[in-house]
Amino acid sequence: MPPSRRRRTRTGCLTCRARRIKCDEAAAICTQCSRSDLQCLRSRNESLSETTRSRLAFTAKNNDRRLTQAGTKRQRVQRSCVSCKLIKKRCNGERPLCDRCLKKDQPCIYDEETSPDSSRNSIAGDRQIVPSLSRSPFLSPTATVDLPGRIIAQDLCKTFFDEIAPLRCLGFLHRHIFLQHVQNCEDSQEPLLLSVCALATKSIKHRELWEIGCRWARIAQGLVLAEIQDISVHRLMCIVLLYEHATRTSDHRLCFMLSGLASRYTQALSLNLEYDHDMLSTTSLLSPVERESRRRLMWACYIVDTMVACGLNHLQAIDTTTIQIQLPCDDKYFLYKVARITAKVPVCFESTAKFDAPISTENQDTHAFLIRLFLIRDRILRYVHDHTDKEDPWRLMSALADLEHWKESLPPELQFNYDVIVIRKEQSMLSALVSLHVQYHQINCLLFRCTIPSMLFPARAHTGLSRNASMEFLSDSRRGWFDHACAMSAIFKVALEQKPESMEDPAVGFSTYNAIIIKFLYLTNFVPSEERLARLESILPLVDIDLQFLRELHEYHPSVRSTYLAAECLVDEAKLRISQDPTITLSESGNLVGVFNFPTDCISLDHRTNQLSTIAQMRKNLPEMHAPDLASVPLSCGPQSPGEPERLWLWIDGGAERGQSDPASEISDQGPKDMYG
């Protein structure tokens, strides 16, 4: 029996012929049309007329964009609606309402001018503004309602808890309680909700979200300041979150004012004291969550205050000796609403060198250890401003003992090793771990810097410590200053391998800049000139790591742009000058050591703080700023001693010598729009 042959189709349905696929000519409807849910058109003619072909092609191409040009059902949507793009959810592209917006009963707006790939554009890539968001009824600045929808708010709140709450004690909101509140909230104009959503937009790399978040922050700020006399814990939370938002938009003047307002709120609410003596909340009116939330809020305000004040007594509004609350507990206890007792604050203000055992670390995590570092930093800065010229220089060594005790008491889950890094990355806590260890090395650099009078702010010829300490001690301190700067480079190298989870804290950029400048200052001030070129070859790879980390951090956080530009300018100039003259001595402030030695109490703030600090940035280009004191004139204006090597300004002033603009102040007064330029 001869083998059966496959039946060859004679005509096929019109739809399959238009799609140029094989048709099985099944009765009523062919298999291909049934599978693709298309109309199966039949004809007695064996050939298709040109009119029929055109009609089928036009129908397939313009069938609400749900079919491909060949007529098949589209598997990938050409354009998603604005709401789905904002929260990065799958959209089926149905018009006028997609399935998701229909189910959530929210507006569904499509952007007809945006390309299909526009939702994937980031700050680092395409920086074009998406026009549709400004036309959206719930996002338009001229619309009646300019507030986040409930679904968008929930997703932004989750972003806040994953990426921002672990940093600098900002996790004073209970995750599940707050998300439940957002789900049931009917008022989208709630200042705390707007503050959280606005801050969350600064962690998502989309230009349109950045601008929308800035509008939300302005609304929340207006609501808070309109009733500024209404002092409450929730309003204080708004102020702290708005401060963090202002730091990420480089609005330093707003940062300065909000920090003072936050300090006054804490004093009015007496958050520096425990609510009562019932620490475990067994009979207290406050629940464990409320008590812990207030503690974290107080510590967040303290960190804000001490970062702005930079150790200057007349700028710091919160007296550390008046804080009588315990350190924050571990996040897991806060999450499960369990009260726990941690170390009390008065112990932390005393030197741990007086105790036989380190401070108890029971029930503590990253927040508590970071606060302990800021307490040590506060003492060191106060010493620099108030006690460097006194006859009791060795009190600074208690801070060195505290740092050693801090390092020894660090639990295994907070060590910086591979296993902990992997686990913290999965828990969205890697950036907090990186910030913690970078802060430790930064404070060590600050401590050892006190042994170098010419590197202080302001620079001076001698201090009580430099007069009384041995040369061996001073040499070891300067070496420790350099070693901790190199240790930061090792952390940055690991962070580059673990991005983007390690890039969530823009405040690390300031420490990165310090790590760069310390390497060049140590090389040109404390390494013999005949060894400098050889040492430069070993230092440059570390500087390249620092600069690369700062560049990557700038891609995620535009507020780091000024620091990155200053660092890039610094590295290029330093490498050029050192290669031209290995005997050159570089200076950070341009001061000539030994020419003048003004008392610190008659020097302007411009020369008592770091050039990249909040107070220094805030004072740039103030319209009615008073002239600096005569004593604050740069010390390098004096006569140069014979044989004194040439000194350069490694700071932003180096650009002024070449007739360039100041990169550090280039965006200090610009809005977020210019930060992406």
Side-chain angles (χ1 to χ4, degrees):
M1 181 177 179
S4 60
R5 288 201 244 175
R6 300 178 62 182
R7 187 173 64 88
R8 183 181 184 88
T9 59
R10 295 298 180 183
T11 57
C13 72
L14 301 183
T15 306
C16 290
R17 297 195 67 176
R19 296 168 58 192
R20 296 183 180 181
I21 61 175
K22 186 176 181 180
C23 178
D24 60 359
E25 297 183 334
I29 182 172
C30 70
T31 304
Q32 296 289 355
C33 291
S34 176
R35 183 180 302 168
S36 301
D37 194 20
L38 300 176
Q39 184 181 6
C40 187
L41 301 178
R42 301 297 180 101
S43 174
R44 295 181 181 178
N45 298 327
E46 295 186 358
S47 62
L48 291 174
S49 65
E50 190 64 30
T51 303
T52 304
R53 286 182 181 274
S54 301
R55 180 172 58 84
L56 289 173
F58 179 82
T59 302
K61 184 177 181 180
N62 298 278
N63 190 11
D64 288 338
R65 306 193 182 191
R66 289 172 293 182
L67 303 178
T68 63
Q69 189 172 0
T72 59
K73 188 174 182 180
R74 187 175 299 280
Q75 299 297 323
R76 183 174 295 177
V77 180
Q78 280 190 329
R79 287 177 177 85
S80 300
C81 71
V82 174
S83 301
C84 293
K85 285 195 295 185
L86 282 175
I87 58 179
K88 300 180 181 179
K89 294 295 183 181
R90 190 180 185 90
C91 181
N92 66 347
E94 292 289 340
R95 309 294 179 101
L97 294 176
C98 70
D99 288 349
R100 194 171 189 279
C101 292
L102 182 63
K103 181 179 179 181
K104 302 297 182 180
D105 190 23
Q106 63 183 21
C108 185
I109 292 90
Y110 285 88
D111 175 24
E112 303 296 342
E113 301 178 13
T114 308
S115 62
D117 295 331
S118 63
S119 61
R120 297 190 294 269
N121 291 341
S122 64
I123 292 174
D126 188 4
R127 302 179 180 182
Q128 299 298 323
I129 303 175
V130 180
S132 65
L133 293 169
S134 61
R135 298 197 303 267
S136 180
F138 61 100
L139 300 178
S140 173
T142 59
T144 305
V145 179
D146 187 13
L147 304 170
R150 181 176 299 176
I151 304 302
I152 295 177
Q154 288 179 343
D155 289 330
L156 289 174
C157 289
K158 292 177 182 177
T159 300
F160 167 80
F161 285 109
D162 289 339
E163 301 185 13
I164 300 175
L167 305 174
R168 293 183 300 284
C169 219
L170 294 174
F172 42 73
L173 292 172
H174 191 276
R175 183 186 184 107
H176 300 309
I177 294 178
F178 190 76
L179 290 178
Q180 185 66 31
H181 169 73
V182 173
Q183 185 176 359
N184 301 329
C185 182
E186 299 295 338
D187 183 14
S188 299
Q189 203 169 356
E190 188 177 278
L192 185 56
L193 175 59
L194 287 174
S195 302
V196 171
C197 292
L199 185 52
T201 60
K202 300 303 170 284
S203 293
I204 303 175
K205 293 172 55 176
H206 282 275
R207 168 62 184 275
E208 61 272 17
L209 276 177
W210 179 284
E211 295 181 342
I212 294 167
C214 290
R215 295 207 295 271
W216 291 340
R218 286 193 293 270
I219 295 174
Q221 178 184 333
L223 293 173
V224 172
L225 297 181
E227 300 291 340
I228 194 174
Q229 73 280 0
D230 183 10
I231 301 175
S232 65
V233 172
H234 280 189
R235 287 185 176 270
L236 178 56
M237 291 178 177
C238 293
I239 294 172
V240 174
L241 296 179
L242 289 174
Y243 170 88
E244 182 67 19
H245 183 275
T247 61
R248 298 184 180 221
T249 56
S250 295
D251 194 344
H252 302 288
R253 300 179 190 179
L254 182 59
C255 288
F256 185 76
M257 301 309 297
L258 289 177
S259 65
L261 187 60
S263 301
R264 291 304 184 189
Y265 267 55
T266 60
Q267 294 168 349
L269 295 169
S270 294
L271 294 183
N272 59 308
L273 304 174
E274 291 287 353
Y275 184 77
D276 52 34
H277 297 292
D278 186 11
M279 306 296 291
L280 296 178
S281 298
T282 54
T283 60
S284 176
L285 296 177
L286 289 183
S287 66
V289 171
E290 292 174 317
R291 185 185 292 271
E292 179 64 20
S293 177
R294 293 189 176 203
R295 291 193 193 108
R296 295 185 176 208
L297 180 60
M298 178 63 209
W299 284 120
C301 293
Y302 164 73
I303 292 176
V304 167
D305 189 51
T306 188
M307 289 180 67
V308 171
C310 295
L312 295 173
N313 289 327
H314 61 286
L315 290 182
Q316 190 158 343
I318 298 178
D319 186 359
T320 52
T321 60
T322 64
I323 304 179
Q324 302 294 326
I325 58 175
Q326 68 178 23
L327 296 172
C329 68
D330 196 317
D331 264 339
K332 63 182 178 182
Y333 299 119
F334 184 50
L335 188 64
Y336 287 106
K337 307 177 184 180
V338 178
R340 283 291 184 268
I341 296 178
T342 62
K344 293 290 289 185
V345 170
V347 177
C348 300
F349 284 111
E350 300 177 14
S351 173
T352 56
K354 300 178 182 179
F355 300 91
D356 297 331
I359 296 176
S360 173
T361 61
E362 188 178 4
N363 303 326
Q364 301 174 29
D365 65 353
T366 312
H367 295 300
F369 279 90
L370 184 63
I371 290 170
R372 290 173 56 186
L373 283 178
F374 271 100
L375 293 170
I376 300 173
R377 172 184 177 271
D378 189 44
R379 289 168 48 202
I380 296 174
L381 287 174
R382 289 177 184 274
Y383 171 86
V384 172
H385 293 298
D386 300 328
H387 301 285
T388 51
D389 300 320
K390 295 185 178 179
E391 296 300 326
D392 183 21
W394 298 106
R395 60 181 300 176
L396 185 65
M397 294 302 99
S398 64
L400 180 60
D402 289 346
L403 287 171
E404 291 299 321
H405 281 293
W406 183 93
K407 184 178 179 181
E408 294 172 359
S409 62
L410 206 62
E413 60 269 20
L414 293 181
Q415 300 286 344
F416 199 79
N417 55 53
Y418 177 77
D419 293 334
V420 176
I421 289 172
V422 172
I423 295 174
R424 291 288 172 174
K425 186 176 181 178
E426 294 176 354
Q427 297 175 339
S428 299
M429 294 285 292
L430 180 57
S431 187
L433 183 70
V434 170
S435 301
L436 179 69
H437 286 270
V438 169
Q439 187 68 23
Y440 166 74
H441 293 293
Q442 169 67 20
I443 294 176
N444 273 279
C445 291
L446 179 63
L447 174 69
F448 290 120
R449 191 188 193 107
C450 297
T451 63
I452 314 173
S454 61
M455 303 298 174
L456 297 177
F457 295 103
R460 58 206 78 178
H462 299 285
T463 62
L465 185 62
S466 65
R467 291 191 187 98
N468 295 280
S470 64
M471 291 302 299
E472 182 181 2
F473 172 81
L474 295 177
S475 178
D476 291 343
S477 299
R478 293 161 184 170
R479 178 67 187 183
W481 185 51
F482 175 75
D483 289 342
H484 281 284
C486 295
M488 281 193 277
S489 301
I491 296 177
F492 299 147
K493 181 178 180 181
V494 176
L496 286 170
E497 299 170 354
Q498 303 295 332
K499 64 180 185 181
E501 289 81 3
S502 60
M503 300 282 178
E504 294 169 0
D505 188 6
V508 181
F510 182 78
S511 300
T512 312
Y513 182 91
N514 281 338
I516 294 174
I517 201 170
I518 288 172
K519 294 180 179 68
F520 285 117
L521 292 177
Y522 180 81
L523 176 67
T524 59
N525 285 271
F526 305 113
V527 175
S529 57
E530 61 272 12
E531 302 178 10
R532 289 181 184 175
L533 290 180
R535 292 290 298 274
L536 180 63
E537 297 299 322
S538 62
I539 290 176
L540 286 181
L542 299 179
V543 173
D544 291 339
I545 291 175
D546 300 337
L547 201 59
Q548 183 183 355
F549 177 82
L550 203 54
R551 185 184 304 113
E552 293 289 340
L553 196 66
H554 161 243
E555 294 293 333
Y556 289 94
H557 303 283
S559 60
V560 186
R561 179 170 180 259
S562 60
T563 308
Y564 170 65
L565 292 177
E568 195 175 41
C569 177
L570 182 152
V571 172
D572 292 340
E573 180 180 351
K575 290 194 293 187
L576 176 63
R577 296 301 183 95
I578 295 174
S579 61
Q580 291 177 346
D581 183 10
T583 64
I584 197 171
T585 303
L586 301 178
S587 172
E588 182 175 5
S589 59
N591 297 333
L592 287 179
V593 179
V595 178
F596 298 104
N597 194 31
F598 290 106
T600 57
D601 56 354
C602 66
I603 294 180
S604 171
L605 288 175
D606 298 331
H607 298 278
R608 296 191 66 183
T609 58
N610 195 297
Q611 292 289 322
L612 295 180
S613 64
T614 300
I615 183 67
Q617 295 280 21
M618 182 272 300
R619 285 173 56 83
K620 292 181 184 296
N621 303 320
L622 284 179
E624 296 183 359
M625 186 173 65
H626 289 280
D629 301 335
L630 293 178
S632 66
V633 177
L635 304 183
S636 56
C637 64
Q640 186 166 338
S641 303
E644 178 76 21
E646 180 186 1
R647 291 181 177 269
L648 302 175
W649 287 34
L650 270 189
W651 270 106
I652 50 180
D653 307 276
E657 292 182 0
R658 302 187 301 271
Q660 300 176 354
S661 61
D662 181 356
S665 61
E666 190 171 318
I667 67 166
S668 59
D669 298 315
Q670 297 176 354
K673 191 174 194 176
D674 298 319
M675 296 171 67
Y676 288 87

